[in-house]
Amino acid sequence: MIIYIHGFGSSGKGGKALEFRKYFESINEPFIAPSLSYVPELAMDTLEQLVKSYENVTLIGSSLGGHYSIYLAEKYGLKAVLINPSVASFKTLKRAIDLTGYAKNFYDGSEFSWQESYVEMLQGYEVETIVSKDYLLLLQTGDDVLNYKDAVAKVPNATMIIEEGGTHSFEGIERYFDRIGEFLLKNL
């Protein structure tokens, strides 16, 4: 089962999730993209239940989903594709509190309260030292939210694709669908 983990303020109905769903359906591979709570403990509870419910689980994590993916991959020995991942989300998402205390849900445009306690929850899912080499890291240097160099330093043994330019959402991700599929499905 391939589990797509969306980023902060996104959902399982976001653009990348829908494109990945179409791709994996087209090659008859099981795929889910749950819409997760913005409360980190609730999101992680959902993800751990899913990981334990399926066989041959692999992960795709985008932004905050990359943070969650690293935690799950290390804890359960899973392969993970990380797309412009937040590798220290408890630091980067602290900015959301400093600005207004509210964050936007990109699916429906609503807002939700983003609190200091949520940042502390994220810190509980921080992996200090990454042991596994089963990561494919996709980065665009033009990411306007996160510094791609942080991900390179955090996951130095990953297979890496680093493109000049681009954005945080990773422009043109569909160009790598076959490569992502091959990475996730090899030796399962």
Side-chain angles (χ1 to χ4, degrees):
M1 175 63 68
I2 298 162
I3 301 174
Y4 176 83
I5 307 172
H6 63 75
F8 183 72
S10 191
S11 76
K13 299 280 187 187
K16 274 197 296 288
L18 294 176
E19 290 300 314
F20 273 114
R21 179 176 283 111
K22 282 194 303 193
Y23 171 76
F24 285 111
E25 284 176 358
S26 77
I27 62 169
N28 296 313
E29 288 297 333
F31 173 89
I32 56 173
S35 293
L36 300 168
S37 173
Y38 58 87
V39 178
E41 285 182 355
L42 298 177
M44 189 57 71
D45 181 59
T46 298
L47 290 168
E48 291 201 88
Q49 287 181 49
L50 290 170
V51 166
K52 293 173 184 177
S53 296
Y54 295 103
E55 293 182 20
N56 299 321
V57 171
T58 58
L59 308 169
I60 301 172
S62 179
S63 191
L64 176 59
H67 180 90
Y68 291 150
S69 293
I70 290 169
Y71 176 82
L72 293 166
E74 292 297 311
K75 183 173 181 177
Y76 295 101
L78 307 175
K79 284 185 179 181
V81 173
L82 309 174
I83 304 166
N84 284 336
S86 176
V87 294
S89 57
F90 61 92
K91 292 179 183 174
T92 56
L93 287 175
K94 187 164 178 57
R95 290 181 277 190
I97 298 168
D98 296 339
L99 297 175
T100 65
Y102 287 89
K104 182 178 180 179
N105 179 309
F106 297 108
Y107 177 68
D108 64 6
S110 63
E111 290 187 335
F112 57 91
S113 174
W114 184 245
Q115 303 171 18
E116 182 72 36
S117 63
Y118 301 158
V119 173
E120 292 168 8
M121 287 177 199
L122 287 174
Q123 198 163 8
Y125 302 115
E126 175 68 10
V127 175
E128 291 297 322
T129 304
I130 293 179
V131 177
S132 173
K133 295 179 182 172
D134 276 339
Y135 293 97
L136 174 60
L137 185 59
L138 288 96
L139 301 167
Q140 288 187 328
T141 63
D143 186 333
D144 54 333
V145 176
L146 302 169
N147 186 334
Y148 79 97
K149 293 177 183 177
D150 293 340
V152 170
K154 182 74 176 187
V155 196
N157 296 319
T159 300
M160 295 185 200
I161 297 172
I162 303 173
E163 288 188 346
E164 292 296 319
T167 63
H168 183 60
S169 64
F170 200 101
E171 294 176 4
I173 189 65
E174 66 279 354
R175 294 172 291 133
Y176 294 104
F177 282 177
D178 288 336
R179 177 100 183 256
I180 291 168
E182 289 170 13
F183 174 81
L184 291 175
L185 301 170
K186 185 178 179 181
N187 298 326
L188 280 185

